[in-house]
């Protein structure tokens, strides 16, 4: 090894170089204290594709369209999408700036350690890392379980529908679907990064093309279409939840948009496999959010123009059993052609997009588990950060799939309990996003050294906007969703997220503070 000076944005740094030539991302990784263990083959397109396919507007909007219809309806969705999108972009820009300076697979928890100062680094990285990885596992759980539920609806409609004697799979069959999907995802993620890059780009293309096909096809085929006035101004207050405040209803309706626009930290977790990661990692984050906002709005409009009877779409007595978008697709084709086969095929397009979303989510999970265990933060860490001959963290892949299966098991007892579990996917993950940004605008305000991508003098302002937005949605999405409050209507989000917080802090106080020292280097300099 030799030492040389590296100039970046006028800042002189000493970095370690090795015999193999390194691009800027590889050089920065060595400077941060890590040797290259994963194959650096991903282009900026591939990096973007992983985040874009995890955001997957076809996944988030389809699975939570019922929530959007119930709380505010078309007006909440069409305008709330841009509200959530604007603030999500602020979070993404703040994360991209930090990613450019610290392009490692550890991502958020590594950033927190570097930005919180020597005294707070171990605790900051511990709490950020566990919120991040728990949130990621919850995302995979919710995505793959949502796919299992969609398969259930597709089978129901294909066999005659809810009103025609169709087959409705039991909760045990659905959990079996969930396990089978995770098994396939684990197998795919055991392949080399070259194959994963191919599947990632295919997933991104499928999401984009799928959105354009559905947003044009569904309103075109439908014999009854909503007016522009309905789509842009109709505000549904008849949600049966006992809530009458329009502002309150609008806030609850934002959950669909905010849940959809998550998972873009995948670009950060894939940086050790991305060429020129200090530039392309940030580009992946920002482009994934920006393009998702545009195509997602198009998908929302396309579906909403085929909505004419909200109460019927939400009714458990319709052919899709209350699955709103499935009923929209089915009715559009049935009304024109006398059968809903075309609608079922359209649901298949969505199902494949959700499948790709779960696949990319497992990829991101495994890289986070690999990096976190590399720093000794997980039980049996030496096992989870091992890589195989194809430079894949194979054990972390299968661990992520197994935990995501276990997190869906509460659905067998209560869907309310399951929803509380996956609420961590939105709130828990965004808390992990906000923590390093908070440290950057406070403790590291005057010491943060930006990378090639930076926000300049606007970095602090954007960072505070991001932190305040996360604080706001953490409170808003913890509010009751129905009145009067009862056991079956209670919002268990604060219980789930609060329980996770207590568990993380307790483990720190009782054990980890004695041995966890934050990110550790694996280069002997």
């Amino acid at each position: 090894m030799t030492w040389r000076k590296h100039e970046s944005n006028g800042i002189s740094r000493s970095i370690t170089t090795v015999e193999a030539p390194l691009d800027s991302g590889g050089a920065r990784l060595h400077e941060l204290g890590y040797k290259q263990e994963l194959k650096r083959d991903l282009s900026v397109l591939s990096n973007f594709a992983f985040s874009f396919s995890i955001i997957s507007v076809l996944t988030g909007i389809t699975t939570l369209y019922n929530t959007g219809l119930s709380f505010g309806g078309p007006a909440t969705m069409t305008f709330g999408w841009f509200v959530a999108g604007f603030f999500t972009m602020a979070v993404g820009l703040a994360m991209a700036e930090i990613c450019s300076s610290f392009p490692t697979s550890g991502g958020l928890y590594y950033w927190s350690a570097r930005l919180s100062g020597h005294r707070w680094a171990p605790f900051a990285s511990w709490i950020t890392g566990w919120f991040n990885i728990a949130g990621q596992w919850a995302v995979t759980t919710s995505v793959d379980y949502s796919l299992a539920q969609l398969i259930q609806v597709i089978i129901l409609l294909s066999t005659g529908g809810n009103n025609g004697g169709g087959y409705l799979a039991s909760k045990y069959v659905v959990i079996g679907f969930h396990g089978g999907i995770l098994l396939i995802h684990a197998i795919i993620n055991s392949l080399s990064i070259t194959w994963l890059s191919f599947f990632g780009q295919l997933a991104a293309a499928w999401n984009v093309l799928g959105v354009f096909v559905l947003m044009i096809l569904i309103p075109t085929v439908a014999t009854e279409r909503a007016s522009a006035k309905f789509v842009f101004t109709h505000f549904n207050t008849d949600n049966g939840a006992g809530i009458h405040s329009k502002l309150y209803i609008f806030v609850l309706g934002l959950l669909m948009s905010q849940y959809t626009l998550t998972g873009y930290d995948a670009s950060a977790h894939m940086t050790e496999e991305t060429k020129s990661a200090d530039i392309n990692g940030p580009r992946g984050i920002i482009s994934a959010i920006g393009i998702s906002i545009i195509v997602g709005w198009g998908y929302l409009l396309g579906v909403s123009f085929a909505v004419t009877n909200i109460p019927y779409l939400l009714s458990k007595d319709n052919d899709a059993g209350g699955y709103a978008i499935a009923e929209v697709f089915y009715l559009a084709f049935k009304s024109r052609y006398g059968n809903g086969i075309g609608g079922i095929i359209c649901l298949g397009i969505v199902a494949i997009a959700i499948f790709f979303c779960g696949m990319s989510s497992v990829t991101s999970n495994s890289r986070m588990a690999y990096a976190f265990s590399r720093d000794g933060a997980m039980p049996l860490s030496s096992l989870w950060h091992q890589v195989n001959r194809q430079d894949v963290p194979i054990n972390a892949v299968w661990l992520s799939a197994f935990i995501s299966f276990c997190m869906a098991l509460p659905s067998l007892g209560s869907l309310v309990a399951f929803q509380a579990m996956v609420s961590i996917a939105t709130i828990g993950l965004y808390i992990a996003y906000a923590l390093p940004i908070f440290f950057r605008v406070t403790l590291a305000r005057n010491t943060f050294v930006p990378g090639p991508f930076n926000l300049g003098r606007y970095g602090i302002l954007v960072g505070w906007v991001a932190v305040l937005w996360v604080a706001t949605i953490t409170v808003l999405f913890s509010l009751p969703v129905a009145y009067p409050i009862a056991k079956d209507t209670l919002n268990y989000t604060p219980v789930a997220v609060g329980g996770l917080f207590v568990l993380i802090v307790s483990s720190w106080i009782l054990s980890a503070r004695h041995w966890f020292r934050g990110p550790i280097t694996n280069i002997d300099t």
Side-chain angles (χ1 to χ4, degrees), residues 307-371:
V307 171
T308 56
N309 189 338
I310 293 177
Y312 180 72
L313 293 178
L314 296 173
S315 172
K316 295 290 184 181
D317 296 326
N318 64 35
D319 281 313
Y323 199 118
I325 278 190
E327 186 67 16
V328 169
F329 290 3
Y330 188 73
L331 282 179
F333 281 86
K334 188 176 182 180
S335 63
R336 182 170 292 274
Y337 301 110
N339 65 71
I341 295 175
I344 296 172
I345 294 173
C346 289
L347 289 176
I349 294 175
V350 175
I352 293 173
I354 299 177
F355 177 85
F356 281 138
C357 176
M359 178 202 72
S360 297
S361 186
V362 171
T363 307
S364 182
N365 292 179
S366 63
R367 271 49 179 185
M368 173 60 195
Y370 157 79

Side-chain angles (χ1 to χ4, degrees), residues 4-9 13-17 20-34 36 40 42 44 99-104 271-283 450-453:
R4 67 182 176 84
K5 290 289 185 181
H6 173 67
E7 298 290 334
S8 177
N9 286 354
R13 303 185 180 104
S14 294
I15 62 174
T16 307
T17 61
L22 298 171
D23 65 7
S24 59
R28 183 59 177 145
L29 180 65
H30 274 256
E31 181 183 354
L32 297 175
Y34 294 104
Q36 186 73 45
R40 194 178 290 275
L42 297 183
V44 63
C99 178
S100 182
S101 187
F102 307 120
T104 75
T271 49
E272 290 186 33
E273 296 161 89
T274 301
K275 301 171 184 176
S276 302
D278 50 350
I279 299 173
N280 292 333
R283 286 176 176 171
F453 174 88

Side-chain angles (χ1 to χ4, degrees), residues 53-54 56 58-59 63 140 143-148 150-151 177-189 199 202-203 206-207 347-363:
S53 57
I54 292 178
S56 181
L58 288 176
T59 300
T63 55
T140 301
V143 168
D144 281 5
Y145 192 81
S146 296
L147 177 55
L150 181 57
I151 292 173
F177 288 157
H178 176 70
I181 294 163
L182 280 168
L183 177 63
I184 297 172
H185 284 159
I187 293 172
I188 292 175
N189 274 279
F199 282 121
L202 178 62
W206 187 273
N207 270 275
L347 289 176
I349 294 175
V350 175
I352 293 173
I354 299 177
F355 177 85
F356 281 138
C357 176
M359 178 202 72
S360 297
S361 186
V362 171
T363 307

Side-chain angles (χ1 to χ4, degrees), residues 23 44 77 82 112 132 200 205 220 224 274 280 321 350 388 402 405 428 430 439 443 452 462 468 485 495 504-505:
D23 65 7
V44 63
M77 291 187 288
F82 282 111
S112 286
N132 190 195
T220 300
E224 294 184 33
T274 301
N280 292 333
V350 175
N388 62 12
F402 175 74
F405 177 74
Y430 264 94
F439 297 134
L443 298 176
V462 173
L468 293 175
I485 300 173
V495 177
I504 293 171
V505 173

Side-chain angles (χ1 to χ4, degrees), residues 18 44 145 163 169 181 198 218 251 258 289 310 352 402 414 441 495 515:
V18 293
V44 63
Y145 192 81
N163 298 315
I181 294 163
F198 168 75
I218 298 303
V251 165
Q258 198 62 70
I289 296 172
I310 293 177
I352 293 173
F402 175 74
S414 168
V441 298
V495 177
W515 51 267

Side-chain angles (χ1 to χ4, degrees), residues 52 57-58 61 81 211 260 291-302:
F52 182 72
V57 295
L58 288 176
I61 292 174
W81 180 258
V211 164
T260 302
I291 295 176
S292 293
I293 291 172
I294 296 170
V295 299
W297 196 61
Y299 181 51
L300 272 172
L301 289 182

Side-chain angles (χ1 to χ4, degrees), residues 37-39 186-193 196 273 367 370 383-398:
E37 293 181 318
L38 304 177
K39 189 176 293 183
I187 293 172
I188 292 175
N189 274 279
S190 299
L191 302 175
S192 69
I193 190 62
L196 286 179
E273 296 161 89
R367 271 49 179 185
Y370 157 79
L383 180 63
W384 310 128
H385 81 265
Q386 291 179 9
V387 297
N388 62 12
R389 293 180 179 179
Q390 295 177 310
D391 298 322
V392 174
I394 188 72
N395 295 339
V397 167
W398 287 91

